[in-house]
Amino acid sequence: MEWETVIGLEIHTQLATRSKIFSGAATAYGAEPNTQACAVDLGLPGVLPVLNGEVVRMAIKFGLAIDAEITPLSVFARKNYFYPDLPKGYQISQFELPIVGKGQVTIELADGSSKVVGVTRAHLEEDAGKSLHEDFHGMTGIDLNRAGTPLLEIVSEPDMRSAQEAVAYMRKIHSIVRYIEISDGNMQEGSFRCDANVSVRPKGQKEFGTRAELKNINSFRFVEKAIELEVERQIDILESGGTVVQETRLYDANRNETRSMRSKEEAMDYRYFPDPDLLPVQVTDEDIEKVRQTLPELPDAKKARFVEDYSLSSEDAGILTASRELSIYFETVVEGCGEAKLAANWVMGELGGYLNRENLDIGNSPVSAEMLAGMLKRISDNTIYGKIAKEVFEAMWKGEGDADAIIDSKGLKQITDSGAIESLIDEVLANNPKQVEEYRGGKEKMLGFFVGQIMKATGGKANPGQVNQILKEKLKGG
Ligand code: ADP
Ligand code: MG
């Protein structure tokens, strides 16, 4: 039997406001426990929440970025449950009337095609605190710094059909929230995490299968792994005649398994109701227009422009626009050196390799866009080429200065003086009469040998095109 996978994601993204969603306490990450929780976050009696206007603007901005309907009158609701890191006994969220309605994003698949994934809704809510288990023995610590941190929960339609599609979707949403600067998207710090709903069904069947929800996954790699494991588990169950139960499962990266947290029967009844402490959120057309003015060029539009303006392949343009920082870096290099293809090759090739190896973001690259552009100019004006350029790049990476200074101090300037190259070639040919004979006897592969000798003699500084050309003439001439 052939099986089809069905996936829907619920992504929680932390909004990058300085203060919390309903209080003036700071949201900065990494502070001493309980130093950033005020009376509102602690849920003390008698306090009232006050909505942070900035989170509303951020939610609208996201809605516009995914072509969604913005709800004119959305409502905050109380989601009731008991947990030590939730002192109020309820989380303020949105339920029936979320601020962002139906929207959509386009994802690119491995085979080069693209697919539209529906977004069901996106709603505002507050985060809970954190339970600390590690530093305490026989006790649990509670840190309420995170309580009240603004979140936007983005719920997708069950439109994805593989783990790879789910990752592509998650990456796209990540890219968008960072482009529009509503979230830093920092996954290590938990600012961007997702729950993956996964089910399988016999291929061709219309009805969805029973789903499991994989909770709180905070890396792209883990999402892919967790979904793949879960799909395998469900298919195994169904193929051995069993039934999948609807439940919440936890992905354990260390053991590479998912395991049950709670079944549907144990699921809580949250007793949602409108929060009487908060007014409905009214958004006018004028509000929406104001936010629209602040929208930057979005990833899809930028990608299309890169293909158009710089004649890049769609794949390369996709890589270079995946993050806003990278796209800005690339365009700065192009502006500086005037050659888009060359810039693209170096940004994705050498620079990308160095960044990967040292696990750095483009923002922390020791080689600035201006420096790289400076070096590329020296490639286009034939001062340096391929192998030497890599040497210059490495020196720039190590902080030895800009390209011109390095070329100067290391004497890396390419030899383009044809007289000098000619006499070198004469010398090499004179020293290797046997090889010259062979070449002239029809063994054209020998050309590579001569080029190699000349490159060796010049430390790689001869212009390869020129060497080839003069060599061929000389070899013909004799
Ligand atoms: P809940 O209220 O239990 O969170 P929702 O209906 O809001 O459930 O759906 C949550 C997520 O689960 C959505 O992203 C949705 O697309 C996805 N989903 C719903 N049904 C299925 C299914 N059968 N298989 C996979 N994903 C599903
Ligand atoms: Mg849910």
Side-chain angles (χ1 to χ4, degrees):
M1 164 117 53
E2 258 207 84
W3 298 94
E4 182 174 56
T5 304
V6 173
I7 303 159
L9 297 188
E10 295 164 276
I11 294 176
H12 286 91
T13 185
Q14 185 179 319
L15 298 175
T17 54
R18 304 231 318 264
S19 59
K20 294 188 176 171
I21 182 167
F22 300 119
S23 84
T27 54
Y29 181 82
E32 281 291 299
N34 299 310
T35 55
Q36 292 181 172
C38 69
V40 173
D41 310 315
L42 297 176
L44 295 186
V47 298
L48 286 171
V50 177
L51 179 60
N52 181 341
E54 193 56 25
V55 307
V56 174
R57 284 184 284 277
M58 287 178 166
I60 296 172
K61 202 170 179 185
F62 177 76
L64 294 175
I66 62 159
D67 259 328
E69 300 153 17
I70 309 296
T71 311
L73 208 63
S74 63
V75 172
F76 282 105
R78 291 186 181 180
K79 178 179 180 178
N80 299 278
Y81 65 93
F82 175 78
Y83 205 74
D85 63 19
L86 188 75
K88 292 198 300 295
Y90 60 85
Q91 176 195 24
I92 305 177
S93 181
Q94 293 187 309
F95 187 53
E96 277 169 353
L97 288 168
I99 185 156
V100 176
K102 274 191 185 309
Q104 60 184 57
V105 297
T106 303
I107 57 171
E108 284 77 35
L109 307 179
D111 66 359
S113 65
S114 56
K115 169 173 178 165
V116 174
V117 175
V119 171
T120 316
R121 57 185 277 158
H123 60 257
L124 286 165
E125 61 184 26
E126 60 178 346
D127 209 343
K130 240 186 223 168
S131 300
L132 310 172
H133 303 291
E134 277 161 22
D135 301 333
F136 301 91
H137 298 286
M139 286 182 281
T140 295
I142 300 292
D143 175 10
L144 292 171
N145 283 351
R146 203 179 62 183
T149 298
L151 299 177
L152 186 67
E153 178 173 341
I154 303 155
V155 182
S156 86
E157 291 289 302
D159 282 350
M160 285 141 300
R161 293 292 174 266
S162 68
Q164 291 71 35
E165 286 186 15
V167 172
Y169 168 79
M170 194 175 172
R171 281 190 186 279
K172 194 53 173 276
I173 296 287
H174 189 250
S175 168
I176 291 172
V177 299
R178 290 183 41 88
Y179 260 75
I180 64 176
E181 295 179 303
I182 63 167
S183 175
D184 64 18
N186 189 322
M187 297 173 88
Q188 280 95 48
E189 293 177 2
S191 302
F192 193 86
R193 50 193 200 257
C194 94
D195 303 338
N197 295 270
V198 180
S199 65
V200 299
R201 63 180 169 187
K203 212 165 181 128
Q205 178 182 304
K206 249 185 118 89
E207 299 78 38
F208 288 144
T210 304
R211 70 175 199 255
E213 182 175 12
L214 308 172
K215 275 285 179 204
N216 254 326
I217 316 178
N218 69 345
S219 97
F220 296 122
R221 203 161 51 85
F222 289 169
V223 167
E224 185 164 357
K225 274 254 107 188
I227 292 174
E228 278 170 355
L229 278 172
E230 181 57 20
V231 167
E232 253 174 64
R233 190 188 71 87
Q234 291 184 11
I235 292 176
D236 280 349
I237 291 175
L238 294 170
E239 288 192 337
S240 55
T243 46
V244 174
V245 292
Q246 188 172 336
E247 62 184 349
T248 305
R249 298 180 70 85
L250 189 78
Y251 171 63
D252 183 335
N254 293 322
R255 293 208 248 164
N256 200 34
E257 62 175 27
T258 68
R259 56 173 179 273
S260 183
M261 280 169 74
R262 56 176 181 268
S263 70
K264 196 185 175 190
E265 286 73 46
E266 300 162 86
M268 282 176 265
D269 172 6
Y270 293 119
R271 295 182 296 114
Y272 278 101
F273 61 86
D275 191 317
D277 289 343
L278 285 156
L279 290 168
V281 183
Q282 192 176 358
V283 178
T284 64
D285 289 347
E286 205 187 332
D287 296 331
I288 295 174
E289 279 323 301
K290 256 197 215 144
V291 175
R292 201 191 298 279
Q293 302 304 320
T294 68
L295 271 185
E297 184 180 32
L298 293 166
D300 289 349
K302 193 170 246 182
K303 181 181 163 190
R305 182 167 64 76
F306 277 18
V307 169
E308 177 76 21
D309 288 3
Y310 303 131
S311 309
L312 298 179
S313 71
S314 167
E315 201 192 344
D316 287 355
I319 294 170
L320 291 169
T321 54
S323 92
R324 189 179 186 181
E325 291 76 13
L326 186 63
S327 69
I328 291 171
Y329 185 102
F330 167 72
E331 285 211 283
T332 311
V333 177
V334 176
E335 260 167 47
C337 77
E339 288 199 48
K341 257 263 136 52
L342 187 65
N345 288 342
W346 276 85
V347 170
M348 291 186 299
E350 203 70 2
L351 176 69
Y354 273 76
L355 291 172
N356 262 342
R357 233 167 293 140
E358 304 202 6
N359 207 4
L360 288 176
D361 285 332
I362 189 73
N364 301 319
S365 168
V367 177
S368 69
E370 288 77 10
M371 282 167 78
L372 181 56
M375 190 197 89
L376 298 187
K377 273 203 286 203
R378 295 298 157 258
I379 293 181
S380 23
D381 70 9
N382 285 323
T383 307
I384 56 171
Y385 83 100
K387 208 171 130 241
I388 298 283
K390 287 189 177 173
E391 207 179 318
V392 174
F393 184 86
E394 191 186 356
M396 290 201 299
W397 185 273
K398 288 183 182 157
E400 293 174 25
D402 67 11
D404 285 338
I406 291 164
I407 292 167
D408 241 28
S409 68
K410 297 198 173 210
L412 294 175
K413 200 163 178 275
Q414 183 166 243
I415 303 166
T416 47
D417 171 2
S418 57
I421 292 177
E422 246 179 87
S423 48
L424 254 172
I425 288 178
D426 286 339
E427 206 174 302
V428 167
L429 295 186
N431 289 340
N432 299 281
K434 218 180 90 210
Q435 283 83 348
V436 172
E437 198 110 311
E438 284 176 27
Y439 177 86
R440 287 181 177 150
K443 203 170 167 193
E444 288 190 12
K445 273 197 311 206
M446 287 317 290
L447 192 71
F449 165 79
F450 296 120
V451 175
Q453 292 294 307
I454 289 148
M455 286 308 179
K456 213 164 118 194
T458 57
K461 286 183 290 185
N463 179 314
Q466 216 174 0
V467 169
N468 261 292
Q469 193 204 339
I470 300 175
L471 248 178
K472 276 187 189 160
E473 268 164 33
K474 294 248 174 204
L475 284 164
K476 209 170 15 173

